[in-house]
Amino acid sequence: MSTAAERRERFTREREDPTAGTSAVHFVPSPIADPGPLGLAAFALTTFVLSMFNAGLVSSGGEPVVFGLALAYGGLAQLLAGMWEFRTGNTFGAVAFTSYGAFWLSFWAFVEFFEKDVPKADAGHAVGLYLIAWGIFTLYMTVAALRTTGAVFVVFVLLTITFFLLGIGNAGGNTSITKLGGWVGLATAAAAWYASFAAVTNATFGRTVLPVRPLQR
């Protein structure tokens, strides 16, 4: 439980116009920090590490390192960012971060608990279906991203391509397509890192240091 002093710190005093015949003071909620940079950073880092393995740049023996990231950073941190986006009134951010946080959590859960129950002959098709379904979700989120920023829109375009390439590669057992998906995933991570870097830097500097190109009319 928070103390009375802590509760007061979360609110600002707003005095009514004295010309209106009243001097009453009431409290209004203080602005909260933008959770977007956190969600983007969590997504970018986890995507980067997994994509290094998908692209074949790192030996697959080290792939379990991804699972801890998928649980703690890509999963839980991004899920929290999504919940906080609901508080800011950002529907797009809330849906995106909550969904992709759940994606990483489901990925971790599948590998840890359920992958062993899938016959090897069906594993590629199952994972392919899973990834293609996420590609469909990402595709319609890309349409919605047309009213966000250029930086975020690029992330969603690249992510859509990544999901479909990885899905097709896994479903067809085609390692070349899967590796290509890994390379596009690296580009996706770089774009998401830029969007996060721009948002947190612009906020701390109080001015536009790195452009994100707003797309809203």
Side-chain angles (χ1 to χ4, degrees), residues 15 17 20-21 76 85 112-113 125 168-169:
R15 184 177 298 275
D17 185 357
L76 293 178
E85 286 285 22
E112 289 294 320
F113 303 113
H125 295 98
I168 293 169

Side-chain angles (χ1 to χ4, degrees), residues 9-10 14 36 43 45 65 79 90 96 98 107 114 120 152 190:
E9 287 178 358
R10 292 198 294 267
E14 184 178 89
F43 173 80
L45 194 151
V65 73
L79 189 69
N90 182 357
T98 303
F107 171 73
F114 306 112
K120 286 189 176 181
V152 170

Side-chain angles (χ1 to χ4, degrees), residues 145-152 202 208 210-217:
L146 284 166
R147 285 296 177 266
T148 58
T149 67
V152 170
N202 294 346
T208 300
L210 297 169
V212 294
R213 302 290 183 182
L215 299 177
Q216 293 179 341
R217 288 187 294 180

